[in-house]
Amino acid sequence: MGTNLTKTNTKKRHRTKLLVGLLVSTSILGGGQYPSMLGSRSFALKAHVFADTTNQQLIAGQTTDTGNHTYGLADIETGDSWITAGTATAPVAGQNFSTTLVSNTKSSAGLALFKGALDMTKVANFQGTFSITVNGSFGYTANALDGGDSLGFILTPDSTDQISANLPNSTNENLGVGGLPSSVFLGRDLYDNTDVDQTIANSGSGTSGATAGQNVVCIRTTDTTGTLSKTYQATTAPDPGVMKSSNNTITETMAFSWQPNTDSNGNTVTNSDGTVTGTLTYVLTPQTGTNAGKSVTVTSVATLSASLSLGVVGATGNNYGTMTFANDGSSFTAYKGTNPVTVNYINKNTNETIASSSTIMANVGDSIDVTAPDAVSTNTSADDYTYTYNAPTIAGFDYSSADPAITVANNDSATNSINVYYTPTAVNTVKDVTVNQDDQGNILTDTTGYVQLSSSTSADTVVTDDNGDSTTTNTTTVIWHKPVDTVVNQDDQGNNLVDTTGYVKLSTTTSTPAANGDTTTTNIWHLPVNQTVNVVNNVDESGKPIVDTSTGYTLVQAGTPVITTQTATNGDTTTTSTVTNIWHQVAENTISTTVNLDEQGNTITDLTGYVSSTQTKPSVTTTSTADNGDITTTITSYLIWHKVVTTTVNQVDNVDEQGNPLSDTTGYHLISSQTSAPTTTTATNGDITITNTTTNVYHKIIVTTTNVTANIDESGATLKDTTGYIKSSQTKPSTTSTVIADNGDETTTITSYTIWEKSPTTEATPPNSASDSTSDVPSSPAQSQTVATPAANNVSQEPLVSIPPVEQADQKPVVKNKPLQAPTKKTKVDTVPKSTTKVASSTSTSAKQTSANKTKPTMTATQKMIQVAKVETAGAGGAIAGMAISAGLFTLAQRFIPAGFIFFLLGKRRKKKKNEEE
């Protein structure tokens, strides 16, 4: 097994490749090797066996086999089995094959190809002797390895012609196989092409410079496009050569073997595409040098075509060298590569296929020939692999010719094809032709109405076409006569008539036809006589005849003459003109009808929604006479109808809470509204009135005014007890609040304020303050101003006046207690100086004082006088405050005017009560 090594020294490549070398070698040697090879395809593979001398008959659509598929050594050892191309010398027939591939020239290439092919589905091996010589006389010292580019075997599926044609593309680094798809090179790669070659260690030849060679042997393959693989198996050869200034030669035996993969039964495994996978083994053994007899082996697994061509190749680059190959002493074991040869059967005249093709399975290099179906073999050669087959007999066709014999090429379907040509078998057709002519010699296409006079047959005529078919024509000529009928016209008196216009034919007779079909026809004619008759018929409408139409009848349809003609057998005619008049018997009818009218006199057809009216209209009588004379009297009566009108009335009744009607709701408040079910009334004329009644119940609004007086100190805190206080000169405007109940009633509360200050002469305990009260205005009658009646034994200890506590002036009033009347809907607060504020009932949060816990101070005479003065002043002040408030509210509503008077009365009453108490 070869080993990939790394080359230690890289040499500069500088040389001309094989394509140029071929041109140079041709110029130097005057060669014509390429034309000599490419121009010759008719070579035969020689062998020392006798060919079959009996021609085998081919069968259309079937396959036959030549047999003889095993090679012997004799099949490859002589020059007859090889062809050469490029600079390779021609083989010598009958001698062991050897050739000089390159003859001490640079840029040259030579190729030798075995004419046969190898069957790669079976084992194969082959060996030969190769040599490389570098001539030192050219003035340089070199190694024999410096003498070329490549030397070794090639295996390729292409035919010899295709290999030769590709030779210019396979030079340089392509090792003879570049451009050939799925091919193999096995041998020495004598130059390191760094762009495509692997680096192999210790492969230098010892020569430096651009011409330095390398000591590498390898197995290289190409892909399906013919591109050389850059990954391959390689190693160094045992004989690295030596440096000499004289002739320097290396001679080696090269051998290869092939082992296809097999299954468990030992049968070769063929891939789905027809290829075969196996192992290639290449062995190189030096015959000279210090390592003579020491071999090196390279193996590689490859997938190859089932049939391959074998060749040897040698090429120099920019170096000079001589390369040779000889198979003397070589061994060869192989099976012949086979290829199918297709035999096609063609109509020579139309170039169409007339039968399915036959297939001959033959060895590459065999000569295949196809001859006539009845040909006898003339092959007496004992050395040629020549096979001659007889073409099949094809019904309806005759054998004509076949393509020349071919030499079977490897994998070349165009070459491996033979066309056999046939011509249709000649056919003789007999035609019977009849020619119809009239007795004037005119050709007739239709003899209808003719009588045959005679018939004759002429001699047969024979016509042969290009295919050899013949037509024999028998012609019969028939003469026909068109019969003539002669017509004679006579009247019934026996006179001949020239013109029969106005006559009626009475009879026709025809004579018996003559021999030629002619006849005579005699026509007898009669001149007709014509007469006219007029008839009048009077009938009634039912078709009954009327004798007298003068009384009680009217003509309704005058008849149109109807002409009828009767013709006798002799042609005489009677023309009758018949007029039929239709009469109607006059009738008198009376019709009574009723017409419906609305009250405006319009005719109505649908009484839906109407009732009978009290209006009337006299009947009308009319008389009319129809076209047929009938008299109709029509009496028309009229019925008057009233269109019922439906009216909807929506009625509203306003009442107070006692159910009394109200004509004016001013000063009232709506507390409920109810609509009763509709009522329907019908008038005498049928009109309908639908009344929807809505009853609205109103409440008479009651306005109530209450006056309240509150005692506060100078800080605005409400005082429950004014003992120890004197009235202050300060004043505070009274406030007014109005509450409107759900029924509309209004309650107005007017609060007046009395401001008190501490008496400087009183040393009594200060009165309780109610500054924590939450309201400065009472909101119910229970918080109105009250005058306390003092006890008889302790007059000086009780305050004269008790006023509910009032909040500080700067606090916002909040209504806490609602009035005793209906629930409040809204609260309205008015002040004397036209200021409005919300007023709420107060709730005192101060601590209660009891008489049992505290002793009231004894009043002096002066204090009593001051107290009386305060009482008098309070009465006058109440009257003044009432009038001021009434005056301020006068512009809002006149109903508040009595407020002043009410407050005046309250003031008077308080004064009187105080006086009584004093």
Side-chain angles (χ1 to χ4, degrees):
M1 187 72 178
T3 305
N4 292 331
L5 302 177
T6 302
K7 188 172 182 179
T8 58
N9 55 336
T10 302
K11 301 178 177 61
K12 181 178 179 183
R13 184 178 59 183
H14 178 66
R15 63 187 185 175
T16 306
K17 296 298 180 177
L18 286 179
L19 180 59
V20 177
L22 290 175
L23 298 176
V24 173
S25 64
T26 301
S27 174
I28 294 174
L29 300 176
Q33 288 89 342
Y34 283 112
S36 67
M37 189 237 174
L38 298 176
S40 176
R41 293 176 55 189
S42 301
F43 52 81
L45 185 64
K46 304 294 184 178
H48 299 291
V49 296
F50 288 97
D52 189 358
T53 58
T54 302
N55 290 350
Q56 183 177 348
Q57 186 84 44
L58 296 176
I59 300 175
Q62 295 189 11
T63 299
T64 187
D65 195 320
T66 61
N68 192 23
H69 298 316
T70 304
Y71 284 119
L73 183 60
D75 294 324
I76 200 170
E77 65 181 358
T78 66
D80 305 79
S81 303
W82 294 83
I83 59 173
T84 58
T87 59
T89 58
V92 178
Q95 297 182 7
N96 285 345
F97 175 66
S98 64
T99 181
T100 299
L101 298 170
V102 180
S103 299
N104 200 28
T105 57
K106 68 175 182 178
S107 302
S108 301
L111 179 68
L113 294 173
F114 177 52
K115 292 181 180 179
L118 307 185
D119 183 358
M120 304 306 288
T121 64
K122 299 178 176 62
V123 296
N125 65 75
F126 178 62
Q127 75 175 35
T129 301
F130 293 83
S131 68
I132 309 171
T133 300
V134 174
N135 193 341
S137 63
F138 278 81
Y140 66 91
T141 299
N143 192 309
L145 299 180
D146 301 334
D149 209 11
S150 61
L151 180 65
F153 300 109
I154 64 170
L155 295 171
T156 178
D158 285 351
S159 67
T160 54
D161 286 353
Q162 293 167 332
I163 297 168
S164 298
N166 182 70
L167 189 58
N169 301 323
S170 62
T171 59
N172 301 332
E173 70 272 12
N174 288 321
L175 304 178
V177 293
L180 298 176
S182 304
S183 301
V184 184
F185 170 80
L186 307 94
R188 275 189 174 273
D189 183 356
L190 297 171
Y191 193 84
D192 181 14
N193 298 284
T194 57
D195 56 337
V196 296
D197 291 349
Q198 295 179 165
T199 300
I200 308 298
N202 302 318
S203 62
S205 65
T207 302
S208 62
T211 59
Q214 67 173 356
N215 184 30
V216 173
V217 292
C218 61
I219 299 176
R220 298 283 293 271
T221 59
T222 62
D223 60 17
T224 56
T225 65
T227 302
L228 199 65
S229 172
K230 296 181 181 181
T231 302
Y232 53 91
Q233 299 296 325
T235 188
T236 56
D239 188 354
V242 295
M243 299 293 295
K244 290 183 179 182
S245 59
S246 60
N247 290 346
N248 194 346
T249 302
I250 293 178
T251 302
E252 297 166 319
T253 299
M254 297 186 188
F256 77 87
S257 64
W258 165 253
Q259 178 61 55
N261 294 343
T262 58
D263 58 20
S264 59
N265 296 322
N267 299 318
T268 298
V269 177
T270 302
N271 300 324
S272 60
D273 59 355
T275 59
V276 180
T277 301
T279 302
L280 279 170
T281 302
Y282 170 80
V283 180
L284 183 143
T285 304
Q287 295 182 9
T288 60
T290 58
N291 291 323
K294 183 179 180 180
S295 300
V296 65
T297 302
V298 179
T299 60
S300 178
V301 175
T303 298
L304 305 175
S305 296
S307 179
L308 295 178
S309 296
L310 169 65
V312 293
V313 64
T316 61
N318 199 35
N319 297 337
Y320 289 87
T322 299
M323 300 181 183
T324 65
F325 167 77
N327 68 351
D328 42 78
S330 64
S331 65
F332 180 53
T333 301
Y335 292 87
K336 298 177 182 179
T338 60
N339 268 246
V341 177
T342 303
V343 181
N344 304 309
Y345 306 111
I346 309 298
N347 185 332
K348 183 177 181 180
N349 298 331
T350 63
N351 207 35
E352 295 176 347
T353 300
I354 59 175
S356 299
S357 300
S358 298
T359 300
I360 302 172
M361 188 59 66
N363 302 315
V364 174
D366 285 351
S367 176
I368 304 297
D369 190 19
V370 178
T371 61
D374 54 355
V376 178
S377 173
T378 59
N379 180 23
T380 60
S381 172
D383 297 327
D384 292 343
Y385 275 112
T386 300
Y387 296 89
T388 301
Y389 293 89
N390 290 350
T393 299
I394 299 177
F397 290 89
D398 296 328
Y399 173 84
S400 176
S401 62
D403 288 344
I406 65 164
T407 298
V408 179
N410 192 30
N411 300 319
D412 188 353
S413 59
T415 298
N416 299 338
S417 178
I418 298 175
N419 290 336
V420 181
Y421 297 95
Y422 293 77
T423 57
T425 302
V427 177
N428 182 33
T429 304
V430 178
K431 290 184 179 180
D432 292 326
V433 178
T434 299
V435 178
N436 294 312
Q437 295 178 342
D438 63 11
D439 48 4
Q440 306 301 317
N442 301 314
I443 300 299
L444 300 175
T445 58
D446 184 8
T447 59
T448 302
Y450 283 81
V451 175
Q452 182 176 333
L453 297 182
S454 63
S455 176
S456 61
T457 301
S458 62
D460 295 341
T461 59
V462 179
V463 178
T464 303
D465 58 20
D466 294 338
N467 295 329
D469 293 344
S470 62
T471 302
T472 301
T473 304
N474 300 320
T475 303
T476 300
T477 302
V478 179
I479 306 301
W480 298 85
H481 170 72
K482 181 74 171 180
V484 177
D485 182 27
T486 302
V487 179
V488 176
N489 294 313
Q490 295 177 346
D491 62 12
D492 47 2
Q493 305 300 318
N495 302 314
N496 291 331
L497 299 174
V498 178
D499 183 8
T500 60
T501 303
Y503 283 79
V504 174
K505 184 186 291 186
L506 296 182
S507 63
T508 297
T509 58
T510 301
S511 64
T512 302
N516 62 358
D518 290 348
T519 57
T520 299
T521 299
T522 302
N523 297 320
I524 305 301
W525 301 83
H526 169 72
L527 184 62
V529 177
N530 299 321
Q531 63 176 349
T532 301
V533 177
N534 296 318
V535 177
V536 176
N537 296 324
N538 293 316
V539 298
D540 61 16
E541 291 169 309
S542 63
K544 295 180 180 179
I546 300 174
V547 177
D548 184 7
T549 61
S550 59
T551 303
Y553 285 90
T554 299
L555 180 64
V556 295
Q557 182 179 332
T560 299
V562 177
I563 306 301
T564 59
T565 301
Q566 293 181 341
T567 302
T569 55
N570 62 356
D572 291 347
T573 59
T574 299
T575 300
T576 302
S577 175
T578 303
V579 176
T580 300
N581 297 322
I582 299 175
W583 297 81
H584 173 72
Q585 189 171 13
V586 175
E588 294 184 1
N589 299 316
T590 299
I591 299 174
S592 296
T593 183
T594 300
V595 177
N596 295 315
L597 301 176
D598 61 14
E599 291 175 328
Q600 287 72 40
N602 302 313
T603 301
I604 54 178
T605 58
D606 185 3
L607 297 179
T608 301
Y610 287 84
V611 296
S612 179
S613 176
T614 57
Q615 298 181 20
T616 60
K617 181 178 180 179
S619 60
V620 176
T621 300
T622 59
T623 301
S624 62
T625 302
D627 292 339
N628 62 2
D630 287 350
I631 299 172
T632 300
T633 299
T634 302
I635 301 173
T636 303
S637 300
Y638 297 94
L639 294 178
I640 309 301
W641 297 85
H642 170 71
K643 178 68 173 180
V644 175
V645 177
T646 300
T647 302
T648 299
V649 177
N650 294 320
Q651 179 178 324
V652 178
D653 293 338
N654 296 323
V655 299
D656 61 13
E657 292 172 299
Q658 288 70 42
N660 302 315
L662 297 176
S663 59
D664 183 6
T665 60
T666 302
Y668 286 83
H669 177 75
L670 179 64
I671 58 175
S672 67
S673 180
Q674 182 177 3
T675 301
S676 62
T679 59
T680 302
T681 58
T682 304
T684 56
N685 63 353
D687 289 347
I688 298 172
T689 300
I690 299 173
T691 302
N692 297 317
T693 301
T694 299
T695 301
N696 296 327
V697 179
Y698 284 86
H699 169 71
K700 180 67 173 179
I701 297 173
I702 300 173
V703 178
T704 303
T705 301
T706 303
N707 293 310
V708 177
T709 300
N711 293 319
I712 61 177
D713 61 14
E714 291 177 314
S715 65
T718 303
L719 298 176
K720 292 184 177 181
D721 186 1
T722 58
T723 304
Y725 286 82
I726 61 174
K727 286 188 179 180
S728 173
S729 60
Q730 296 181 21
T731 61
K732 179 180 179 180
S734 61
T735 59
T736 302
S737 63
T738 301
V739 177
I740 300 176
D742 290 340
N743 62 0
D745 287 350
E746 296 180 4
T747 301
T748 300
T749 301
I750 302 172
T751 303
S752 299
Y753 298 93
T754 300
I755 302 176
W756 298 81
E757 62 183 9
K758 287 282 188 173
S759 172
T761 61
T762 303
E763 297 179 358
T765 302
N768 293 333
S769 174
S771 60
D772 58 348
S773 174
T774 60
S775 175
D776 60 354
V777 178
S779 59
S780 67
Q783 296 173 335
S784 61
Q785 181 178 355
T786 60
V787 179
T789 303
N793 58 352
N794 196 9
V795 174
S796 61
Q797 295 179 4
E798 296 295 333
L800 299 178
V801 179
S802 178
I803 300 175
V806 181
E807 281 189 352
Q808 300 291 335
D810 56 349
Q811 294 180 347
K812 292 184 180 179
V814 178
V815 176
K816 288 193 173 182
N817 296 329
K818 296 183 179 180
L820 299 177
Q821 289 83 357
T824 303
K825 297 179 71 175
K826 60 184 177 178
T827 302
K828 181 165 64 177
V829 179
D830 296 328
T831 61
V832 173
K834 302 183 179 178
S835 62
T836 304
T837 180
K838 286 187 177 180
V839 179
S841 61
S842 63
T843 302
S844 176
T845 59
S846 64
K848 296 182 179 180
Q849 296 179 353
T850 61
S851 300
N853 296 332
K854 291 187 180 180
T855 303
K856 296 181 182 178
T858 304
M859 295 179 64
T860 63
T862 302
Q863 290 175 337
K864 291 181 179 180
M865 292 297 294
I866 295 172
Q867 185 68 25
V868 171
K870 289 181 180 180
V871 173
E872 292 295 335
T873 303
I880 295 171
M883 289 186 291
I885 293 173
S886 297
L889 298 177
F890 179 76
T891 55
L892 298 176
Q894 292 181 358
R895 59 188 174 185
F896 294 112
I897 293 175
F901 180 71
I902 294 172
F903 278 101
F904 176 75
L905 294 177
L906 291 175
K908 292 284 287 182
R909 183 178 179 183
R910 177 182 294 180
K911 179 180 179 182
K912 182 179 180 182
K913 188 173 184 179
K914 290 294 182 180
N915 290 336
E916 290 176 353
E917 290 177 355
E918 290 297 328

